[in-house]
Amino acid sequence: EIVMTQSPATLSVSPGERATLSCRASQSISSNLAWYQQKPGQAPRLLIYDVSTRATGIPARFSGSGSGTEFTLTISSLQSEDFAVYYCQQSNNWPYTFGQGTKLEIK
Amino acid sequence: EVQLVESGGGLVQPGGSLRLSCSASGFTFSGYIMYWVRQAPGKGLEYISSISINGGSTYYADSVKGRSFISRDNSRNTLYLQMSSLRVEDTAVYYCVKRLTAASVGDYWGQGTLVIVSS
């Protein structure tokens, strides 16, 4: 099973600033990497798939990068609605696995 | 509008069984791979099962393999998850998830149904 490790566990950022979240895979997953956002009491929402492709309706301030085992989600200018938990997910091998999440909180 | 509505959750004793259902609408259900993903209270996300468009191929996470059975009824636009020999650690919100066409990720999620395994 591929283990996904996210860092940091918690990130404190002020509105309007940039946030950078990291995700590492225990082995190469090519470009089979997605990012989700989850707010309390809600289901996850797909943000990005295939490392850098934004899902339908996702604002351009969300961007993804990386390859192989190291990946990054960048939120260029944080809005109030962006404070949430973010998960990365690999779909290279079954079982598809998620990272443990990064909580993005208001500084 | 795509909608996925799960049902069937509840309180069950360890060793018991439960069948979860997911009613799908707003898209051609028979044309998409579907998943079940769960989330234990306060914890992360876990893919537990996948089913092909015709139900001929199924996959399970080791955590539920041998105790769970995923199926679908394309005529009823419904996805199922039969769970047996339930354990306390199966306590979670169970989400029904539609696969995105272009990648093995979930583009639409239901609101989830809570399963509590407790004596």
Side-chain angles (χ1 to χ4, degrees):
Chain A
E1 177 175 307
I2 297 175
V3 176
M4 306 299 291
T5 303
Q6 292 184 241
S7 60
T10 304
L11 183 61
S12 299
V13 183
S14 299
E17 293 189 340
R18 174 188 297 255
T20 302
L21 288 67
S22 297
C23 176
R24 172 179 292 178
S26 60
Q27 64 188 73
S28 177
I29 57 171
S30 186
S31 61
N32 299 306
L33 190 283
W35 291 93
Y36 298 83
Q37 176 194 70
Q38 187 178 33
K39 296 180 179 179
Q42 296 184 16
R45 177 174 73 142
L46 178 66
L47 298 175
I48 285 175
Y49 62 95
D50 289 350
V51 176
S52 59
T53 303
R54 279 188 301 276
T56 302
I58 301 304
R61 65 180 182 272
F62 291 91
S63 63
S65 62
S67 65
T69 62
E70 301 282 346
F71 303 91
T72 299
L73 173 70
T74 301
I75 311 171
S76 59
S77 178
L78 280 163
Q79 308 296 303
S80 57
E81 61 267 29
D82 299 335
F83 293 95
V85 178
Y86 291 82
Y87 294 95
C88 61
Q89 177 229 312
Q90 67 81 19
S91 57
N92 197 66
N93 293 346
W94 182 267
Y96 305 149
T97 48
F98 294 90
Q100 81 282 13
T102 290
K103 181 179 181 180
L104 182 57
E105 63 176 28
I106 300 175
K107 186 175 181 179
Chain B
E1 179 193 4
V2 172
Q3 285 198 318
L4 298 167
V5 180
E6 302 94 338
S7 60
L11 176 63
V12 61
Q13 292 190 334
S17 300
L18 212 56
R19 188 177 83 157
L20 306 182
S21 300
C22 170
S23 177
S25 61
F27 66 104
T28 305
F29 178 73
S30 60
Y32 289 88
I33 289 170
M34 297 293 295
Y35 306 118
W36 286 101
V37 176
R38 70 181 180 183
Q39 185 170 37
K43 303 297 184 182
L45 299 158
E46 178 187 19
Y47 273 91
I48 57 170
S49 194
S50 169
I51 188 167
S52 61
I53 59 176
N54 64 2
S57 293
T58 58
Y59 298 90
Y60 300 92
D62 285 347
S63 58
V64 301
K65 194 177 294 182
R67 303 186 297 119
S68 296
F69 180 73
I70 188 172
S71 61
R72 64 192 297 162
D73 185 340
N74 288 340
S75 67
R76 296 177 182 270
N77 292 340
T78 304
L79 177 72
Y80 302 100
L81 184 69
Q82 177 73 46
M83 305 181 68
S84 60
S85 301
L86 283 162
R87 305 167 180 168
V88 171
E89 54 265 35
D90 293 319
T91 294
V93 173
Y94 286 72
Y95 293 104
C96 167
V97 182
K98 171 188 167 293
R99 183 190 186 274
L100 179 72
T101 302
S104 296
V105 298
D107 61 344
Y108 286 95
W109 296 58
Q111 85 288 350
T113 187
L114 177 61
V115 173
I116 300 174
V117 184
S118 175
S119 55

